[in-house]
Amino acid sequence: QVQLVESGGGLVQAGGSLRLSCAASGRTFSRLNMGWFRQAPGKEREFVAAISWTGGSTSYADSVKFRFTISRDNAKNTIYLQMNRLKPEETAVYYCAASNSYGTKAADFGSWGQGTQVTVSS
């Protein structure tokens, strides 16, 4: 069992940048695949990015490719999501998640953080 706590959300103007962090607790963190998802009001949770437990493989939703970067620091039990050139439509609650398998679907992830709000204004 792993506990995940997101931070770094907030208000940002369109075109701006924000870096989200997710601190994980648990001895097995280094063996967990990690991901970021987001959910806007009234919409389903959608995949944003994922990273393998070694950090050697990453996946991104087409909408965020070349703008977002997922990374991890296993020594700090933390993953990050660097978000650049943010768009208003990307306003959502962003969630950190962990899985024993590598995937891009919410159902593939068994542990979730509480989420952090990201609001992008025009």
Side-chain angles (χ1 to χ4, degrees):
Q1 188 175 17
V2 60
Q3 293 184 346
L4 307 172
V5 180
E6 302 96 332
S7 63
L11 301 174
V12 64
Q13 294 183 352
S17 299
L18 207 60
R19 189 180 76 157
L20 305 182
S21 298
C22 174
S25 62
R27 189 174 295 275
T28 62
F29 173 77
S30 295
R31 296 294 183 92
L32 293 173
N33 303 292
M34 305 294 295
W36 287 97
F37 291 77
R38 64 190 179 191
Q39 186 169 23
K43 296 185 178 180
E44 294 185 346
R45 191 166 300 184
E46 66 175 351
F47 169 76
V48 176
I51 187 167
S52 63
W53 71 271
T54 64
S57 298
T58 58
S59 298
Y60 297 93
D62 289 341
S63 61
V64 307
K65 285 183 178 178
F66 311 116
R67 295 188 299 112
F68 289 14
T69 302
I70 187 171
S71 61
R72 69 189 298 162
D73 187 339
N74 288 346
K76 296 181 178 180
N77 290 346
T78 302
I79 66 166
Y80 306 92
L81 183 67
Q82 178 65 47
M83 305 183 293
N84 297 324
R85 302 193 302 279
L86 282 160
K87 305 174 181 179
E89 57 265 36
E90 293 175 313
T91 293
V93 176
Y94 283 68
Y95 296 90
C96 176
S99 175
N100 289 321
S101 61
Y102 190 74
T104 59
K105 297 180 179 179
D108 295 329
F109 293 81
S111 299
W112 296 83
Q114 81 290 342
T116 185
Q117 177 70 45
V118 172
T119 302
V120 185
S121 62
S122 300

XYZ file of all heavy atoms in Angstrom, residues 7 14 26 46 54 69 79 90 97 100 108 112:
90
model
N 1.017 18.119 -4.841
C 1.177 19.517 -4.487
C 1.640 20.280 -5.721
O 2.039 19.687 -6.716
C 2.172 19.698 -3.341
O 3.470 19.253 -3.719
N -2.894 31.518 -19.097
C -2.665 30.741 -20.308
C -1.278 31.030 -20.859
O -0.850 32.183 -20.919
C -3.730 31.060 -21.348
N 6.146 4.592 1.204
C 6.110 3.156 1.038
C 7.420 2.629 0.508
O 8.009 3.232 -0.401
N -9.116 11.603 -17.141
C -8.378 11.279 -18.348
C -6.885 11.174 -18.085
O -6.327 11.850 -17.216
C -8.647 12.309 -19.450
C -8.122 13.701 -19.150
C -8.306 14.661 -20.316
O -8.692 14.207 -21.409
O -8.066 15.870 -20.123
N 11.501 2.467 -13.477
C 12.897 2.843 -13.657
C 13.049 4.264 -14.185
O 14.149 4.827 -14.146
C 13.599 1.899 -14.636
O 13.006 2.021 -15.936
C 13.495 0.456 -14.162
N 6.163 17.251 -19.198
C 7.222 16.282 -18.970
C 7.024 15.613 -17.622
O 6.927 16.296 -16.600
C 8.608 16.942 -19.005
O 8.816 17.585 -20.270
C 9.695 15.891 -18.816
N 7.422 11.981 -7.813
C 7.321 12.164 -9.248
C 6.869 13.592 -9.517
O 6.280 14.245 -8.653
C 6.361 11.166 -9.931
C 4.911 11.408 -9.484
C 6.791 9.739 -9.652
C 3.904 10.689 -10.365
N -7.238 23.063 -19.965
C -6.541 22.103 -19.120
C -6.786 22.351 -17.643
O -6.144 21.731 -16.790
C -5.050 22.114 -19.449
C -4.782 21.579 -20.851
C -3.347 21.667 -21.293
O -2.726 22.738 -21.112
O -2.837 20.663 -21.834
N -1.109 8.806 -9.483
C -1.541 7.432 -9.293
C -0.368 6.467 -9.414
O 0.641 6.774 -10.048
C -2.623 7.070 -10.319
N 1.197 -1.416 -10.306
C 2.215 -2.452 -10.442
C 2.486 -2.790 -11.901
O 3.474 -3.449 -12.211
C 1.797 -3.722 -9.707
C 1.847 -3.568 -8.208
O 2.751 -2.927 -7.669
N 0.892 -4.165 -7.523
N -5.909 0.786 -14.625
C -4.620 0.134 -14.416
C -3.948 0.575 -13.125
O -2.980 -0.058 -12.687
C -3.686 0.421 -15.588
C -4.163 -0.181 -16.888
O -4.807 -1.238 -16.857
O -3.880 0.410 -17.954
N -4.291 6.149 -5.530
C -4.502 7.517 -6.001
C -4.273 8.536 -4.905
O -4.549 8.288 -3.735
C -5.937 7.685 -6.517
C -6.239 6.836 -7.709
C -6.615 5.527 -7.714
C -6.190 7.245 -9.075
N -6.793 5.088 -9.006
C -6.542 6.123 -9.859
C -5.881 8.449 -9.714
C -6.597 6.176 -11.254
C -5.928 8.503 -11.095
C -6.288 7.377 -11.850
